[in-house]
Amino acid sequence: MKIESFRFGWLDVAPEDVIRFPEGLVGLSRLTSFVLLQDDKASDLYWLQSLDQGEFALALVTNSKLGSPIDLSDEGVDLSALELDQSEDYEILVVLNRVEGEFTANLRGPIAINPARALGKQVVLRDARFDIRHPLRSAAKTPALVTA
């Protein structure tokens, strides 16, 4: 399928690359179909591009890139929407934001993806240990993220 995105122009998305979020994202329940794209310039950066609304894309990094990774199994999060079985693993990604020239990660609203079933879910963690604006690096020190 071909979709037009604001950030990437026209994309040719194979059906097997579509990730379904049955519940949508927090505050955006109408957006349920996405594709995960690796950034061309920054190998640690990913984009969750909406297939429902071409103007919408979230910048993400993998959980493993954080100093203190999030373990959703320790947080008692309901991941039934991912339809995991015992042999399947899931990935955790966190949303990046740029606030006043600084990159921050939203640790309180991570995104879990089951790549085997192409299902995703954004969760909300209530624990105050997880900051909404966890500082990463200065935008000035990260030109690849600035131009992405």
Side-chain angles (χ1 to χ4, degrees):
M1 99 180 67
K2 280 201 168 291
I3 64 134
E4 185 175 14
S5 73
F6 175 78
R7 181 169 296 280
F8 306 105
W10 284 98
L11 294 171
D12 195 10
V13 179
E16 61 269 15
D17 292 335
V18 176
I19 302 170
R20 302 273 178 220
F21 283 70
E23 301 166 7
L25 298 177
V26 174
L28 298 164
S29 60
R30 70 187 187 288
L31 303 181
T32 59
S33 298
F34 294 87
V35 64
L36 188 64
L37 306 168
Q38 187 167 16
D39 191 86
D40 292 345
K41 298 173 185 156
S43 61
D44 292 341
L45 180 65
Y46 293 85
W47 294 93
L48 189 64
Q49 173 63 55
S50 171
L51 302 180
D52 301 310
Q53 184 177 332
E55 301 85 23
F56 186 82
L58 289 174
L60 307 169
V61 292
T62 61
N63 183 46
S64 61
K65 295 295 176 192
L66 301 174
S68 53
I70 302 165
D71 185 351
L72 294 181
S73 61
D74 289 346
E75 300 305 315
V77 174
D78 176 15
L79 295 176
S80 59
L82 298 182
E83 299 178 8
L84 295 164
D85 68 28
Q86 291 178 347
S87 66
E88 292 174 336
D89 232 351
Y90 61 93
E91 298 175 20
I92 302 171
L93 300 122
V94 294
V95 178
L96 293 181
N97 294 298
R98 193 166 131 191
V99 179
E100 297 176 8
E102 297 291 322
F103 285 103
T104 64
N106 179 353
L107 303 184
R108 193 155 305 168
I111 292 175
I113 295 176
N114 176 351
R117 297 188 191 248
L119 289 169
K121 176 179 180 163
Q122 184 175 25
V123 299
V124 176
L125 303 175
R126 307 257 184 246
D127 192 322
R129 291 178 301 148
F130 301 109
D131 193 4
I132 292 174
R133 291 195 175 145
H134 177 75
L136 291 179
R137 313 182 238 179
S138 167
K141 296 177 185 173
T142 317
L145 293 179
V146 174
T147 59

